[in-house]
Amino acid sequence: MKKFLTCAVICLAMGSTSWADSPQAPIPAPPGDTDALPPPLDLSQTTPLPLPPAGSAPADASISTTPAIPPPPPAPAAPDASAPAKPADTKAAPAADNAAAPAETKKEAAVAPSLGVFADYFPAAQGSKWIYEYLKPAAGSKTKKTRTVECTASEAGADGSLNATFQVTEDGNATTEKYSLASNQVTHVASGETALTGEYAYQYPANGKMAKWTSGGKSYKATLGKAVVYKKTYPNCVVVTGKSTGSLVISYYAKGIGLVAIEVYGKGLKLDQTQSIALVSGPGSDK
């Protein structure tokens, strides 16, 4: 019994020494004072720290538990100069649905130079055609002859004139007639291979005045005014009268149409219908 008591005293002495070295227990909070303590830790919301591999140094307690941000991807390597170059993609990009279609190129006909109002009575547009008919058949014939006049060429001259070529066809025979339009007059410059000098279809009677000239032994005059030709009325005409001994020839040039009639008078100033012509069809004749 004595020996048991001695062992108990020794154990008590060693226990008191151990308690003195340990930290004191936390003082419990007063009942009902829960604001003084932090909220209980929810272990399900914490991120576990990876265990260090065997034999490595213990993890530093200051390491954050926030997942690390991944590093940026490495920059692409510079192309190898020795490697063969990749051919460029030559495939054209598809055109947009609403892309505007290319404008069509239109070919415009050559425009004659601005010659003045006098040229309105002698149209010379390439491709224009006039058809005339004689007023009466020639002696021994039952049908009236026709005359076709077509402008085959129309070119501007270096001096500002307009040079026009006409093909005149009658009874199957064709001749070439050339005219020049300039300086308020229309000049007949060639008939077939024969060059002409001083021959005028007309000189324009400007400012209402009469124009006069002579050529080939004939005297001519041109006036402006209204004309009634074979039951057709033309409000604006250049009327050219050519007179010689025993004959009279009157030509009518209507504005915007051209030559509409030629009247030939013989002895006694009687109209020769077998030599006189009138327009059947032509540009502007239906107006």
Side-chain angles (χ1 to χ4, degrees), residues 263-283:
E263 296 176 341
V264 178
Y265 295 86
K267 293 181 180 181
L269 297 181
K270 182 180 179 180
L271 179 64
D272 187 350
Q273 297 186 31
T274 61
Q275 298 296 318
S276 301
I277 61 174
L279 180 68
V280 175
S281 64

Side-chain angles (χ1 to χ4, degrees), residues 123 128-132 147-149 151 166 257-259 279 281-283:
S128 299
K129 181 185 290 187
W130 297 261
I131 298 177
Y132 302 89
R147 178 185 295 181
T148 302
V149 179
C151 182
F166 297 84
I257 301 174
L259 180 67
L279 180 68
S281 64

Side-chain angles (χ1 to χ4, degrees), residues 48-142:
L49 294 176
L51 295 176
S56 61
D60 188 354
S62 63
I63 297 177
S64 171
T65 60
T66 304
I69 300 175
D80 188 358
S82 61
K86 182 180 179 181
D89 187 4
T90 58
K91 184 178 180 181
D97 293 339
N98 60 349
E104 296 182 359
T105 303
K106 296 183 179 180
K107 296 183 178 179
E108 298 183 358
V111 180
S114 178
L115 300 172
V117 68
F118 85 96
D120 294 341
Y121 297 85
F122 198 91
Q126 183 173 341
S128 299
K129 181 185 290 187
W130 297 261
I131 298 177
Y132 302 89
E133 186 178 71
Y134 282 86
L135 302 183
K136 186 178 179 179
S141 177
K142 295 182 179 181

Side-chain angles (χ1 to χ4, degrees), residues 57-258:
D60 188 354
S62 63
I63 297 177
S64 171
T65 60
T66 304
I69 300 175
D80 188 358
S82 61
K86 182 180 179 181
D89 187 4
T90 58
K91 184 178 180 181
D97 293 339
N98 60 349
E104 296 182 359
T105 303
K106 296 183 179 180
K107 296 183 178 179
E108 298 183 358
V111 180
S114 178
L115 300 172
V117 68
F118 85 96
D120 294 341
Y121 297 85
F122 198 91
Q126 183 173 341
S128 299
K129 181 185 290 187
W130 297 261
I131 298 177
Y132 302 89
E133 186 178 71
Y134 282 86
L135 302 183
K136 186 178 179 179
S141 177
K142 295 182 179 181
T143 59
K144 298 178 181 180
K145 294 189 299 182
T146 60
R147 178 185 295 181
T148 302
V149 179
E150 182 179 1
C151 182
T152 58
S154 185
E155 299 177 350
D159 56 353
S161 63
L162 180 67
N163 301 317
T165 302
F166 297 84
Q167 179 175 285
V168 180
T169 305
E170 189 174 314
D171 288 340
N173 299 318
T175 60
T176 300
E177 309 294 333
K178 295 183 179 181
Y179 293 83
S180 176
L181 286 71
S183 304
N184 263 0
Q185 61 191 22
V186 179
T187 308
H188 192 188
V189 296
S191 179
E193 299 296 329
T194 304
L196 303 175
T197 302
E199 295 280 349
Y200 301 101
Y202 64 79
Q203 293 186 13
Y204 185 70
N207 302 322
K209 297 180 180 180
M210 182 184 296
K212 296 181 179 182
W213 68 95
T214 59
S215 177
K218 292 183 179 181
S219 60
Y220 294 88
K221 65 179 181 180
T223 58
L224 271 175
K226 178 180 177 181
V228 179
V229 184
Y230 309 117
K231 299 181 181 181
K232 289 186 179 181
T233 301
Y234 300 96
N236 295 293
C237 269
V238 173
V239 182
V240 179
T241 302
K243 186 178 181 180
S244 65
T245 303
S247 68
L248 180 70
V249 178
I250 303 176
S251 301
Y252 301 86
Y253 297 87
K255 186 176 183 179
I257 301 174

